[in-house]
């Protein structure tokens, strides 16, 4: 059981790097390489011995939009794998307690793996539309919890897990992990950044599902996003009031901005955006002239002063699907306002080999302007783009040195700066990278710098042996590099 859940956690961590808000500097290739050579057994031993508390956590304020943030927990690979495996070990039992009207973070009991988010989300939207179409008089109450993950009480959650397992011993490791996470970081609630947290979040809202089911309400839920259907406005108001009391007992509160009661026509428009559905179908089928419609929609979205993130992501992804470079220049000219959609923007930019020179020039100018310092997520994506496209630029190298040498910056852009410098290092620069490695206090940075030394071709077998002997935290990456791999860029 433990071997299986750890392997599931590893496979998902490696496979989903392309979807990660903060991808790993080497796509966890060292973990993959060493998995069956001792790494998995080390994790199994740690879990069996109860050595499950997080050893290294970086709390990253990741942008939700152009001005607000959410705290992502960036664990070491060891901690992330242990955390996910502990949850996956309990996931089948948790999922059996979750009602069929809940679509998020469901466990596939046949494959022993969590279901990917996209299809369940689509099914929920489809069922919501069918529900409204079945009765033209139905109103819909929408409910969202304010800062849901951050306000989950881990003590209450621990009681829920103990009740589920009939024994506190079986949930002790997971409880200890969550309590330690809160005590040693400027964060609280469930760690964000791991989909495994969503499985626990589902259990935390089970009392809401129970209340709605027992009282015969039609409802659909995706995490804390809940839709409730009823003809009568007063009944919906009353059910929202009761749910608010249930949430308050669990230290949660409803979001006033995202909670409301919609009349039938408004409810249907909320669920089914006819224009987006039409554009999506046109792109999927390849209808002639689809790019013109998508371009027009893009122009409308960017004219809105407060354009919603979902629409911006949607239209950039549609342009990417069509391989239409219409938005390339706009994205490059508006980078400071796009940190929250950096993942989509840089996936889009990477498509167009014919625009590489323009992209390279504008990204270099952005980095050299000093504006990038406020946007570490953009710095990481820019350096990752240059690595993936194999672009060696003297001015970008200067910017990478500034990032690496600034220890007040977050680690994740510094890690990618290290790799970029390793790829482009002269002999003397490689020697300087070795000096940076030896004086660097962060073990995650030392991992990246060791890979940079390897790619600079200035990592001798003798030095690698010394690192493995005296820095045991790096033994797995040392063993990985000893086989002379080609290190991927996620």
């Amino acid at each position: 059981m433990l071997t299986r859940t750890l392997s599931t956690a590893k496979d998902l961590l490696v496979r989903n790097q392309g979807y990660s808000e903060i991808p790993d500097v080497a796509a966890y290739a060292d973990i993959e390489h060493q998995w069956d050579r001792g790494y998995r057994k080390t994790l199994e031993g740690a879990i069996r011995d109860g050595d499950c508390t997080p050893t290294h956590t970086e709390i990253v304020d990741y942008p939700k939009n152009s001005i607000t943030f959410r705290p992502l927990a960036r664990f070491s690979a060891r901690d992330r794998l242990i955390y996910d495996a502990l949850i996956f070990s309990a996931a089948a039992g948790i999922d059996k307690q979750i009602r069929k009207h809940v679509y998020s973070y469901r466990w596939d009991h046949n494959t022993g793996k969590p279901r990917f988010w996209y299809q369940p989300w689509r099914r929920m939207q489809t069922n919501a539309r069918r529900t409204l179409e079945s009765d033209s008089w139905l109103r819909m109450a929408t409910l969202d919890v304010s800062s849901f993950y951050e306000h989950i009480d881990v003590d209450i959650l621990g009681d829920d897990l103990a009740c589920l397992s009939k024994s506190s011993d079986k949930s002790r490791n997971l409880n200890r992990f969550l309590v330690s996470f809160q005590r040693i970081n400027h964060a609280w609630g469930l760690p964000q950044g791991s989909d495994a947290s969503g499985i626990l979040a589902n259990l935390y809202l089970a009392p809401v599902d129970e209340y709605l089911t027992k009282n015969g309400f039609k409802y659909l839920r995706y995490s804390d996003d809940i839709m409730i259907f009823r003809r009568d406005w007063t009944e919906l108001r009353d059910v929202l009031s009761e749910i608010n009391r249930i949430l308050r007992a669990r230290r949660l509160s409803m979001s006033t901005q995202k909670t409301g009661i919609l009349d039938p026509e408004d409810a249907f428009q909320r669920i089914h955006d006819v224009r987006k559905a039409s554009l999506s179908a046109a792109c999927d089928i390849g209808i002639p002239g689809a790019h013109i419609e998508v371009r027009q929609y893009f122009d409308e979205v960017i004219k809105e002063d407060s354009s919603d993130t979902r629409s911006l992501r949607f239209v950039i992804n549609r342009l990417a699907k069509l391989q239409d470079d219409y938005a390339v220049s706009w994205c490059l000219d508006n980078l400071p306002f796009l940190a929250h959609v950096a993942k989509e923007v840089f996936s889009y930019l990477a498509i167009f080999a014919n625009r590489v020179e323009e992209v390279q020039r504008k990204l270099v100018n952005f980095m050299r302007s000093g504006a990038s310092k406020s946007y570490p997520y953009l710095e990481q994506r820019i350096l990752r783009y240059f690595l993936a496209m194999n672009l060696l630029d003297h001015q970008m190298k200067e910017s990478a040195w500034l990032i690496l040498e600034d220890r007040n910056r977050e680690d994740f852009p510094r890690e990618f700066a290290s790799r970029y410098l390793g790829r482009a290092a002269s002999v003397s620069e490689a020697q300087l990278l070795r000096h940076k490695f030896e004086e660097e206090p962060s073990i995650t940075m030392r991992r990246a710098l060791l890979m940079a030394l390897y790619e600079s071709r200035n990592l001798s077998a003798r030095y690698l042996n010394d690192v493995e002997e005296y820095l045991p935290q790096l033994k797995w990456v040392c063993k990985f590099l000893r086989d002379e791999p080609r290190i991927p860029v996620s």
Side-chain angles (χ1 to χ4, degrees):
M1 177 67 174
L2 185 54
T3 297
R4 185 169 66 250
T5 54
L6 276 168
S7 294
T8 297
K10 183 269 297 181
D11 291 343
L12 292 173
L13 181 64
V14 173
R15 187 183 73 197
N16 291 337
Q17 280 302 291
Y19 302 100
S20 175
E21 291 95 339
I22 305 178
D24 180 64
V25 70
Y28 295 114
D30 50 336
I31 306 301
E32 181 81 83
H33 182 271
Q34 289 296 308
W35 188 250
D36 291 322
R37 305 184 189 190
Y39 195 96
R40 188 194 70 243
K41 288 185 177 179
T42 299
L43 297 183
E44 289 175 359
I47 292 174
R48 289 195 181 103
D49 294 341
D51 182 18
C52 298
T53 54
T55 57
H56 173 84
T57 308
E58 186 179 8
I59 302 299
V60 177
D61 288 325
Y62 196 84
K64 293 173 66 175
N65 54 40
S66 56
I67 57 174
T68 63
F69 302 85
R70 62 189 177 101
L72 288 187
R74 188 170 181 251
F75 293 124
S76 67
R78 169 200 179 273
D79 297 343
R80 171 66 183 272
L81 290 168
I82 286 175
Y83 176 65
D84 287 4
L86 290 173
I87 296 175
F88 292 163
S89 295
I94 291 173
D95 193 73
K96 289 178 180 177
Q97 308 301 314
I98 306 303
R99 298 286 183 171
K100 66 178 182 179
H101 305 292
V102 179
Y103 290 80
S104 55
Y105 307 105
R106 300 307 301 257
W107 190 254
D108 190 321
H109 295 269
N110 293 322
T111 64
K113 296 180 181 179
R115 293 191 175 102
F116 190 59
W117 71 272
Y118 182 69
Q119 289 300 331
W121 171 262
R122 288 287 298 272
R123 282 198 297 271
M124 186 183 79
Q125 297 295 307
T126 298
N127 286 341
R129 186 171 67 250
R130 287 174 179 169
T131 300
L132 291 170
E133 288 173 341
S134 69
D135 184 345
S136 61
W137 294 95
L138 278 180
R139 291 181 170 86
M140 181 176 75
T142 60
L143 166 63
D144 199 282
V145 178
S146 181
S147 301
F148 176 40
Y149 278 45
E150 295 171 66
H151 290 114
I152 288 177
D153 189 304
V154 297
D155 292 327
I156 295 176
L157 179 61
D159 293 341
D160 295 340
L161 289 167
C163 180
L164 181 69
S165 64
K166 309 299 182 184
S167 168
S168 60
D169 291 342
K170 292 185 178 180
S171 58
R172 182 173 294 151
N173 282 337
L174 183 52
N175 290 343
R176 289 183 60 206
F177 190 103
L178 292 171
V179 170
S180 297
F181 167 73
Q182 288 199 142
R183 289 180 177 172
I184 63 175
N185 296 291
H186 291 173
W188 53 92
L190 284 182
Q192 297 185 56
S194 167
D195 282 348
S197 289
I199 295 172
L200 297 181
N202 267 350
L203 179 64
Y204 201 76
L205 286 183
V208 175
D209 301 328
E210 194 68 18
Y211 165 75
L212 289 169
T213 301
K214 285 187 179 300
N215 286 276
F217 282 92
K218 292 182 180 179
Y219 79 99
L220 303 168
R221 176 165 77 81
Y222 195 98
S223 191
D224 63 317
D225 184 358
I226 307 174
M227 296 177 283
I228 309 166
F229 305 93
R230 207 73 158 191
R231 284 186 172 192
D232 188 84
W233 188 95
T234 302
E235 286 188 68
L236 286 173
R237 191 273 314 274
D238 291 344
V239 77
L240 288 177
S241 177
E242 182 58 32
I243 290 174
N244 190 52
R245 284 192 283 271
I246 296 172
L247 293 176
R248 194 163 57 242
R250 311 219 108 207
R251 311 295 188 265
L252 301 173
S253 61
M254 292 193 298
S255 169
T256 55
Q257 292 182 332
K258 296 182 179 180
T259 299
I261 299 174
L262 302 176
D263 288 334
E265 184 177 349
D266 293 334
F268 191 81
Q269 288 181 354
R270 172 75 65 89
I271 293 300
H272 185 63
D273 188 318
V274 176
R275 190 171 184 193
K276 281 185 181 178
S278 174
L279 290 174
S280 233
C283 293
D284 292 341
I285 298 170
I287 294 176
H291 71 286
I292 297 174
E293 296 294 328
V294 174
R295 287 183 176 191
Q296 289 176 349
Y297 186 65
F298 172 79
D299 289 338
E300 293 171 21
V301 169
I302 65 174
K303 284 179 182 177
E304 296 291 333
D305 291 335
S306 57
S307 60
D308 66 283
T309 300
R310 284 185 181 178
S311 294
L312 188 56
R313 284 193 176 120
F314 170 84
V315 73
I316 289 175
N317 286 335
R318 296 290 85 69
L319 288 168
K321 189 174 185 69
L322 293 170
Q323 297 189 11
D324 185 345
D325 65 354
Y326 184 69
V328 166
S329 295
W330 180 87
C331 288
L332 293 169
D333 292 340
N334 290 275
L335 277 178
F337 311 105
L338 300 177
H340 57 298
V341 290
K343 179 170 58 177
E344 290 77 15
V345 165
F346 279 89
S347 294
Y348 175 62
L349 295 177
I351 293 172
F352 305 106
N354 62 319
R355 303 286 292 271
V356 167
E357 289 186 10
E358 176 193 356
V359 174
Q360 178 177 349
R361 183 180 69 257
K362 290 189 175 182
L363 293 180
V364 166
N365 289 341
F366 176 72
M367 295 285 275
R368 288 179 60 81
S369 71
S372 71
K373 190 172 183 178
S374 298
Y375 306 96
Y377 340 94
L378 291 177
E379 288 183 334
Q380 184 202 43
R381 293 284 171 175
I382 290 169
L383 289 162
R384 183 169 171 260
Y385 174 87
F386 271 68
L387 283 165
M389 304 298 286
N390 199 27
L391 301 175
L392 300 181
D393 185 283
H394 178 70
Q395 291 181 318
M396 182 58 72
K397 191 161 76 169
E398 291 178 354
S399 296
W401 275 113
L402 291 174
I403 292 170
L404 173 60
E405 291 171 345
D406 184 358
R407 289 187 185 170
N408 291 322
R409 271 181 165 92
E410 286 86 348
D411 279 351
F412 57 92
R414 295 180 68 224
E415 290 171 35
F416 275 81
S418 300
R419 276 204 67 189
Y420 187 72
L421 292 169
R423 289 262 189 103
S426 64
V427 173
S428 59
E429 286 172 329
Q431 292 170 334
L432 184 55
L433 283 173
R434 176 167 161 171
H435 169 70
K436 295 295 181 185
F437 170 82
E438 291 172 350
E439 69 171 6
E440 176 60 53
S442 165
I443 199 68
T444 57
M445 277 303 304
R446 281 189 160 185
R447 171 177 172 257
L449 282 162
L450 195 63
M451 292 182 185
L453 285 172
Y454 167 79
E455 292 189 307
S456 75
R457 299 182 179 181
N458 193 41
L459 183 62
S460 67
R462 180 199 62 79
Y463 192 67
L464 194 60
N465 290 336
D466 287 346
V467 172
E468 183 175 351
E469 181 178 357
Y470 296 108
L471 291 171
Q473 307 99 311
L474 295 176
K475 72 175 182 178
W476 302 110
V477 69
C478 290
K479 293 177 184 296
F480 168 59
L481 296 177
R482 196 171 283 117
D483 279 359
E484 299 184 359
R486 181 173 181 176
I487 305 174
V489 178
S490 56

